[in-house]
Amino acid sequence: MMEMAEKTGKVYLVGAGPGDAKLITVKGLECIRKADVLVYDRLASPRLLKQMKSGGEKIYVGKLPDRHTMKQEEINQLLVDLALEGKTVVRLKGGDPTIFGRVGEEAELLRRNGIYYEIVPGITSAISVPAYAGIPVTHRDYASSLSIITGHESPDKLDHSIHWDKVTNATGTLVFLMGVAKIGYISGQLIKHGRPPETPVALVRWGTRAEQETLTGTLADIEAKVTAAGFQPPAVIVVGEVVRQRPQLMWAEALPLFGKRIVVTRARSQASELVDRIEELGGEPYEFPVIETVMPEDAGKKAAIASALGALEAYDWVFFTSPNGVEFFWRHLAELKVDIRGLHRARIGAVGPATAAALAERGLVAEELPARFQAEGLLEAFGPRLEAGQKVLLPRGDLAREWLPAKLRELGLEVTEIDTYETVVTGEDDIELLRLLEEKRIHAVTFTSSSTVRNFIGILKRMGLEDPVAALAGVKIACIGPVTEETAVAAGLTPGLLPDEATIEGLVQELCRWNESTRVR
């Protein structure tokens, strides 16, 4: 047994999986969430970094344009130094750390320095990337064995590390990792040592991610196809009869949002529905919440809320204009210990089905929904029943438009407005988002309110982007409704997607129609 240094931390050598953030293991995710420091490279999904606890430190050790890549020996020593400071460290590595991941070198130095560590396996790209391309690496009719081989070497080194005479026919399926640049040499060696020239081959680039791209051919023609297509690394190479399964089994590429990375700017507490739908439909959501909804702190606002909720029985109407309005209304009822039954004589109006659903969850049935899911729709639906002298309660956010209360007052109604929640700017500086924008790897941005538009532009400027509008050129701008669209236009953006229904599902379906129209057939 090695002797452990006193008061040292612990290092978790974690496999992050092939790229899709949800392909990390449960244990791997737990490690990230408890880490004090996360050491990662470009192969780790940016979405995993957002799982860190507040105050956690992120250290990038991959390639950057302005500096050399950190050498492996330097990374090894970094892990030691951080652990000796007493920190819980996660070294996040793409795929599985034990498959060409150099985890042995990292673990060896940790052991020599008396530092506890764990190796947390990950889903290797050798199996998962072909699966996302519709290629099972084994199949009862085609292959019952598998070899995983490095392709990331010069021909001389490949000949030294690979016994071609043994490897070529050792297993039914051969998987080469990182061998695109050597595909001609690899295919030539396999033919030379006995694989038929017509053996199927597939190259899957950036598998499980929005950039996933697959090229198929045979050992005889794959080099020419790679050259003609300008097919670039990184990619997994699959050699064998299992490649013939792709036309029948490919599934990821058939999903409606395949190939699209979509930024979700909603508050984190509300983003899950949109994020989940994008994922279900094959897109890659990138969460970048730019707003946060919080309870008011101002004493005057609190007093106004207490006064309004203390007189619930006086209202003829209560209009809710968002799910947030419903949620925070109930928070204030609970905090002030006010009984909802005080609204027994009031009629309840809701803007949009999501707001109505939030009310229904709490046992209140709203009047019929307006045709337009915005404030104007309320007057269209309820106008004939609104009478001068009636009392209206409007529990809303601090950034709500003044259009509705102004119109109600014009009709002679007595309106009480309360700011039940406040919308504040959030959003940590995110170097990964800036990098993705610079590399034109963001395909769309969704905005679900005017404040998300304003805050998104403001945060990009805060992060050092001088001209956010120019950076978003070529990115599809999707707005949930016309008011949000007007704000986007005023900010200099060119909205391209506007659903017929101002709902999350309407927004998702509009994204699907757009992606369908851009697919290359």
Side-chain angles (χ1 to χ4, degrees):
M1 292 290 290
M2 63 180 176
E3 293 184 7
M4 299 298 174
E6 294 182 5
K7 297 182 180 179
T8 59
K10 185 172 181 177
V11 177
Y12 294 90
L13 305 165
V14 178
D20 183 333
K22 284 196 172 180
L23 292 181
I24 194 167
T25 63
V26 172
K27 183 168 184 177
L29 188 58
E30 288 175 351
C31 291
I32 292 172
R33 287 173 173 167
K34 68 184 178 184
D36 299 314
V37 185
L38 187 68
V39 178
Y40 71 103
D41 55 38
R42 195 62 191 278
L43 293 177
S45 169
R47 290 178 63 200
L48 292 176
L49 309 185
K50 298 180 185 295
Q51 296 293 327
M52 283 197 77
K53 65 185 179 184
S54 178
E57 182 184 1
K58 306 178 186 73
I59 300 177
Y60 179 69
V61 294
K63 290 184 179 180
L64 281 175
D66 58 348
R67 68 165 170 80
H68 296 296
T69 306
M70 186 178 285
K71 294 178 180 178
Q72 183 63 47
E73 293 77 10
E74 296 171 327
I75 297 173
N76 299 347
Q77 189 60 49
L78 174 64
L79 300 178
V80 170
D81 294 342
L82 291 168
L84 289 175
E85 293 173 10
K87 294 177 179 177
T88 298
V89 183
V90 165
R91 169 68 172 113
L92 197 61
K93 306 165 78 71
D96 179 274
T98 66
I99 298 182
F100 309 131
R102 302 186 73 171
V103 72
E105 299 168 47
E106 295 170 348
E108 183 180 352
L109 189 61
L110 291 169
R111 185 178 182 85
R112 287 208 309 264
N113 283 270
I115 295 167
Y116 283 111
Y117 65 88
E118 287 188 33
I119 298 174
V120 181
I123 298 176
T124 174
S125 60
I127 295 170
S128 55
V129 165
Y132 267 59
I135 301 170
V137 291
T138 64
H139 187 282
R140 62 181 299 177
D141 296 329
Y142 298 114
S144 58
S145 54
L146 166 70
S147 295
I148 301 174
I149 309 157
T150 180
H152 191 50
E153 301 283 3
S154 66
D156 288 346
K157 288 185 178 179
L158 283 177
D159 287 344
H160 178 74
S161 60
I162 300 172
H163 300 289
W164 293 105
D165 57 331
K166 296 180 174 63
V167 165
T168 299
N169 295 296
T171 59
T173 303
L174 307 178
V175 174
F176 292 85
L177 301 184
M178 306 293 286
V180 177
K182 316 297 187 306
I183 186 62
Y185 187 78
I186 290 170
S187 56
Q189 286 294 90
L190 294 177
I191 291 172
K192 176 181 176 181
H193 289 88
R195 281 276 170 141
E198 63 273 15
T199 301
V201 181
L203 279 71
V204 189
R205 181 175 186 266
W206 286 122
T208 80
R209 307 185 189 208
E211 292 84 8
Q212 179 174 315
E213 181 182 359
T214 303
L215 180 69
T216 58
T218 64
L219 287 176
D221 64 17
I222 193 63
E223 182 182 17
K225 286 189 172 185
V226 166
T227 301
F231 199 87
Q232 297 295 314
V236 171
I237 302 168
V238 186
V239 178
E241 295 300 315
V242 290
V243 173
R244 299 190 191 279
Q245 289 291 294
R246 174 172 157 75
Q248 292 78 37
L249 299 185
M250 64 177 181
W251 57 276
E253 292 151 65
L255 294 170
L257 283 178
F258 171 77
K260 293 296 184 282
R261 181 177 290 109
I262 301 167
V263 174
V264 176
T265 58
R266 293 192 99 190
R268 185 166 281 116
S269 60
Q270 293 181 305
S272 59
E273 180 186 358
L274 181 52
V275 166
D276 289 346
R277 287 295 287 141
I278 291 171
E279 282 185 324
E280 288 169 7
L281 296 167
E284 184 180 315
Y286 190 100
E287 290 184 70
F288 186 67
V290 300
I291 61 172
E292 184 179 355
T293 50
V294 297
M295 295 279 275
E297 292 293 333
D298 180 76
K301 289 185 177 181
K302 287 183 174 182
I305 293 168
S307 175
L309 298 191
L312 291 182
E313 67 281 349
Y315 298 109
D316 300 289
W317 292 94
V318 182
F319 289 141
F320 293 95
T321 56
S322 71
N324 270 337
V326 175
E327 179 186 343
F328 281 90
F329 183 80
W330 253 259
R331 286 195 199 180
H332 288 291
L333 289 176
E335 190 174 277
L336 296 167
K337 294 181 171 57
V338 174
D339 194 325
I340 187 61
R341 288 175 294 184
L343 281 180
H344 62 91
R345 60 183 294 269
R347 302 174 80 169
I348 309 296
V351 172
T355 306
L359 287 166
E361 288 174 4
R362 294 162 173 84
L364 287 186
V365 179
E367 303 283 321
E368 68 267 25
L369 295 171
R372 287 197 285 164
F373 301 152
Q374 58 191 93
E376 287 81 349
L378 281 173
L379 290 191
E380 292 174 7
F382 304 135
R385 285 169 281 174
L386 298 174
E387 301 175 7
Q390 289 181 330
K391 293 185 176 182
V392 179
L393 178 61
L394 283 180
R396 309 189 300 165
D398 62 323
L399 300 182
R401 293 187 300 148
E402 287 302 313
W403 185 91
L404 180 59
K407 287 294 182 182
L408 291 170
R409 290 187 178 108
E410 285 179 14
L411 294 172
L413 284 83
E414 187 179 323
V415 180
T416 300
E417 298 176 70
I418 51 174
D419 291 343
T420 54
Y421 65 94
E422 295 177 346
T423 303
V424 298
V425 179
T426 184
E428 299 178 359
D429 285 1
D430 188 338
I431 188 174
E432 291 296 331
L433 178 60
L434 293 180
R435 188 177 292 148
L436 289 170
L437 284 170
E438 182 183 347
E439 296 173 358
K440 304 299 180 185
R441 293 171 60 201
I442 296 294
H443 305 105
V445 179
T446 61
F447 295 114
T448 54
S449 67
S450 293
S451 55
T452 59
V453 177
R454 290 188 291 265
N455 290 4
F456 185 66
I457 296 296
I459 292 170
L460 290 181
K461 288 181 178 178
R462 187 189 74 197
M463 292 194 297
L465 205 56
E466 292 184 9
D467 191 348
V469 173
L472 292 167
V475 177
K476 208 68 174 178
I477 305 300
C479 298
I480 197 168
V483 175
T484 304
E485 184 181 55
E486 289 171 11
T487 306
V489 171
L493 300 175
T494 306
L497 299 177
L498 182 69
D500 296 330
E501 268 191 5
T503 63
I504 293 299
E505 188 57 32
L507 187 62
V508 167
Q509 292 307 317
E510 193 66 23
L511 287 166
C512 290
R513 284 190 286 270
W514 159 64
N515 195 34
E516 178 64 22
S517 70
T518 62
R519 284 183 187 243
V520 178
R521 300 298 179 185

